Amino acid sequence: MSQNPLIFSTSSGNTSNVNPSTLIQPQNLQCKICLKIFSTNGNLKNHITTIHQNLRPFKCTFPNCNKSYSNKSRLLVHERTHTGQRPFICHICNKTFNEKGNLKTHICFHSNNRPFICDMCGKSYKTNGHLKDHYEIHHLNVKKFICDICGTRFGRSSTLKAHLRTHTGERNYSCPIEGCVKTFAEKGNMMIHYIRHLKRMNKTNKKNENRRCCNIFETLNCRDNNVVRNN
């Protein structure tokens, strides 16, 4: 059986002493160990040192927090979750973020451009991250998120979280319509329910508007008839 040329290996199988720069394929920024693809050199190096070498020398100093990171910038981003700082502001909607990358991703959703195209099926996406997720899940069938309760595997962490609520019975999404007490385990199901409310409300409003128009028309008719009789 021929060996996959994209898979990196050493004679000892140990990567703890390997220089991260030697594990990079510059053409597509793909990790030679796990084949994960990255958009920048820095992200790939951070991935190798954190995931494969488990080097996390930058430790959070906040009480009761044991988080540690491979570089200082990631630690600073994490510390903002303690301080509540969100210094990056969207100039379109004023939404704030604790990380510049999250702001850049958010701004993409204000645009209709979908420049990231899957070369396998032609689907297009607004961000490179969403394209990578699509490729891994639908074309590589990667399912790295595993339910600790039943062992079912999922391609996305959000899908796993929704699945876990089927075990716990949590229903965290409430209908925002006043007087409706329905709750849902998934936001998507709540939105479907909410849209049904809106459609019913629109139908009711149209009926009321039609009645109002009819009443106005009848009033005008009566006034015209009175004018004719008086003349």
Side-chain angles (χ1 to χ4, degrees), residues 89-165:
I89 304 172
C90 175
H91 67 281
I92 301 172
C93 67
N94 294 325
K95 191 171 182 178
T96 59
F97 299 86
N98 66 352
E99 188 175 353
K100 188 176 182 180
N102 291 342
L103 171 60
K104 289 175 67 176
T105 299
H106 164 80
I107 288 175
C108 291
F109 289 97
H110 286 295
S111 168
N112 289 325
N113 293 333
R114 302 172 74 91
F116 300 96
I117 301 172
C118 177
D119 58 2
M120 295 287 289
C121 66
K123 282 193 174 182
S124 59
Y125 295 87
K126 292 186 176 183
T127 70
N128 190 40
H130 286 125
L131 172 59
K132 289 193 318 188
D133 286 345
H134 159 80
Y135 187 80
E136 288 182 354
I137 294 168
H138 295 287
H139 298 300
L140 299 181
N141 198 31
V142 174
K143 296 183 178 182
K144 54 191 173 184
F145 301 98
I146 306 171
C147 176
D148 293 332
I149 301 172
C150 67
T152 305
R153 304 175 70 97
F154 300 92
R156 294 186 176 90
S157 61
S158 58
T159 311
L160 171 59
K161 288 178 182 177
H163 165 79
L164 286 172
R165 288 193 285 270

Side-chain angles (χ1 to χ4, degrees), residues 33-66:
I33 301 171
C34 66
L35 305 187
K36 192 168 185 180
I37 299 171
F38 295 87
S39 58
T40 67
N41 225 10
N43 288 342
L44 176 52
K45 286 184 178 180
N46 182 61
H47 161 79
I48 293 170
T49 56
T50 304
I51 303 301
H52 299 302
Q53 298 177 331
N54 199 30
L55 300 178
R56 299 168 181 263
F58 298 92
K59 302 182 186 301
C60 179
T61 58
F62 280 84
N64 302 318
C65 184
N66 298 320

